[in-house]
Amino acid sequence: MEQHLSEVELKSGEGMRIVRASAPSPEWKDRILPFLQHKGEPWLWQMDLALDEGLGECAQYYYLGVLETGAVVGNIMTTESMAPPIGLLGHVFTPPEHRRKGICSHLMEALTDDFRARDGRAMFLHTGHDSPPYHIYASWGFEGYRETGAMAWVLEEDFWQRQFARRPVTARKTTWADWAPLEALSWVDTGWYLRSVWLSIYGFSGFEGTYLRVRQALGEGRLMDFRVLAADDGAVTGYALLGRLCSFPGEPLVLDLFVHPDFVGHATELVQAIDIPLGERTLAFADSASVGKLEALASAGFVEEARLERLLTDGRGHVLDLLILSRE
C-alpha cells in the first residue's frame, strides 16, 4: 500500500515526491530491494519477506524519495508495533550521485511528522558513535546511550515508566510484533547482567539485528524455541530461548533468559513455558547477582554444577561469579 506524503524541491532544483510504502507491498519490491542491495543479509531476507507477505501485527514502512522520472533516490525504513507505536529506524540511504541535495533531510522531516501525527511514543536506531550520521540523528531529537551508537528519540513523557509499568503478563511464542518492544527491553541497563550466552548478550545490548538472528535460527532449527513475557498491549518484559551451543562438544542445549527487574516474579512462568526435551543435557548460565534467576531455573530442574569466581565484571564495575547449571 502506498501513501503520498508530500512534494518537495531539492537543492538541485529537481522535484521529489515523498511516499510511504507499507508492507506488504509487492508492487514496490522490485524497486526497493535493488536500491538497498548493499544492506546484505539478513536484512534483504527480512525485507523480501515483509514486502511479499507482511509481518502480521508488525508494521514496516518505507519512506521513499522519488524523482519526477520515477527514480528512487532515498529511503528510510521503520518497523513499528504497539498502539500508539514504538519503532526501529534503519536503512537510511541516498546514492552517492544524489547526495548533498537535501534528500535525507526531507525524508527525515516527513517521517518524524508522520510518526508524531500517529502519536508515536519512541523510536530507536543504531549507528556509529560520534559519526556524521550520529550527529544528524541527534539534530532530529535522537539521544545516544553512552558511547554505543544506540540512539533513542523518546516523545512520550515517562515512556520508560509506562512501557514497563507493572501489569499482567503471559509467556507466549514470539511474533514479529515483538521486534521493537524487545529493542526497548534491551535498553534496560539494570537487573541481570548475563542475559544470553547463545546470543552473547551481557548487560546493555540492542536487539535490532539480534532479532533477525533469532528469526533465522528458529527457521533453521538452531533455536528450538523463543518465548517472550508480554502484556496485552504488546510490551515485552522478558524473553527466554532454547538453542544448541554449537561451539561446545556434543552441541548441548542451553536455556537463556532475561526478565525486566520489575517482572522477576514471572521468571518461573517464562522458564516453564519452554519445552525442554527430557533426557537431553541442557545447560543454563547465571551471574551471582541475578536475583530470582536461580529460583526460576531450579523450578525446571536445573542444579548448579560449577561456579567460576570473579569471572565477570558488569557495566557498573561490580565483579561477579559465573554460575553454570544443568539438568538431564
Side-chain angles (χ1 to χ4, degrees), residues 8-327:
V8 299
E9 182 176 323
L10 302 178
K11 294 178 182 178
S12 61
E14 299 167 283
M16 186 179 78
R17 181 168 56 103
I18 299 177
V19 300
R20 189 189 75 184
S22 306
S25 190
E27 66 275 16
W28 277 98
K29 178 180 173 180
D30 291 340
R31 301 174 72 181
I32 292 174
L33 290 188
F35 184 74
L36 297 175
Q37 197 67 29
H38 64 285
K39 296 301 298 183
E41 299 297 351
W43 303 103
L44 292 173
W45 162 78
Q46 187 279 319
M47 289 187 285
D48 182 83
L49 174 68
L51 290 167
D52 263 349
E53 304 175 11
L55 301 175
E57 294 181 4
C58 176
Q60 191 158 82
Y61 300 122
Y62 297 82
Y63 293 83
L64 299 159
V66 184
L67 296 183
E68 294 168 347
T69 63
V72 175
V73 293
N75 175 80
I76 305 177
M77 186 191 79
T78 68
T79 301
E80 304 175 16
S81 55
M82 301 187 66
I86 68 171
L88 290 158
L89 183 151
H91 302 349
V92 181
F93 182 63
T94 303
E97 64 272 21
H98 290 288
R99 292 173 187 170
R100 302 187 181 279
K101 296 181 179 181
I103 293 172
C104 181
S105 293
H106 284 300
L107 292 179
M108 282 294 294
E109 183 176 13
L111 182 156
T112 53
D113 286 350
D114 182 50
F115 195 61
R116 281 195 192 94
R118 293 184 285 110
D119 297 322
R121 302 167 60 219
M123 184 76 71
F124 303 92
L125 64 82
H126 293 267
T127 189
H129 174 69
D130 203 27
S131 64
Y134 183 94
H135 295 288
I136 292 172
Y137 297 131
S139 72
W140 288 95
F142 286 83
E143 296 184 5
Y145 178 85
R146 297 181 183 173
E147 297 181 357
T148 62
M151 306 188 79
W153 177 41
V154 178
L155 295 88
E156 180 185 50
E157 185 177 357
D158 299 329
F159 167 74
W160 297 107
Q161 293 87 341
R162 292 169 187 253
Q163 183 73 4
F164 298 112
R166 289 179 179 171
R167 55 202 188 274
V169 291
T170 56
R172 60 162 172 78
K173 286 185 176 292
T174 190
T175 71
W176 280 105
D178 300 326
W179 196 356
L182 277 164
E183 175 69 21
L185 178 64
S186 77
W187 278 64
V188 175
D189 62 358
T190 56
W192 304 344
Y193 174 66
L194 195 165
R195 302 186 179 186
S196 173
V197 169
W198 200 92
L199 293 170
S200 298
I201 297 179
Y202 303 85
F204 172 88
S205 176
F207 228 86
E208 181 186 20
T210 298
Y211 192 65
L212 295 191
R213 288 175 55 200
V214 166
R215 298 296 305 209
Q216 287 197 317
L218 285 169
E220 296 166 1
R222 291 180 290 113
L223 271 185
M224 290 79 212
D225 204 352
F226 189 95
R227 304 253 172 175
V228 297
L229 272 178
D232 286 345
D233 63 0
V236 173
T237 64
Y239 62 85
L241 65 84
L242 182 70
R244 294 203 175 274
L245 282 176
C246 297
S247 58
F248 279 39
E251 298 187 353
L253 292 173
V254 62
L255 174 69
D256 282 333
L257 71 152
F258 172 71
V259 177
H260 186 282
D262 290 340
F263 291 84
V264 167
H266 295 274
T268 295
E269 175 187 351
L270 183 58
V271 168
Q272 294 185 350
I274 299 285
D275 186 14
I276 305 173
L278 295 175
E280 185 166 4
R281 194 167 195 205
T282 305
L283 302 178
F285 299 84
D287 63 67
S288 52
S290 293
V291 176
K293 190 172 187 178
L294 296 180
E295 292 81 356
L297 291 169
S299 75
F302 284 87
V303 295
E304 183 178 332
E305 283 207 358
R307 178 183 292 252
L308 304 179
E309 296 184 353
R310 302 176 61 83
L311 186 69
L312 303 173
T313 303
D314 68 11
R316 295 176 290 279
H318 302 129
V319 178
L320 309 172
D321 299 344
L322 172 66
L323 284 64
I324 303 173
L325 303 94
S326 72
R327 61 161 268 178

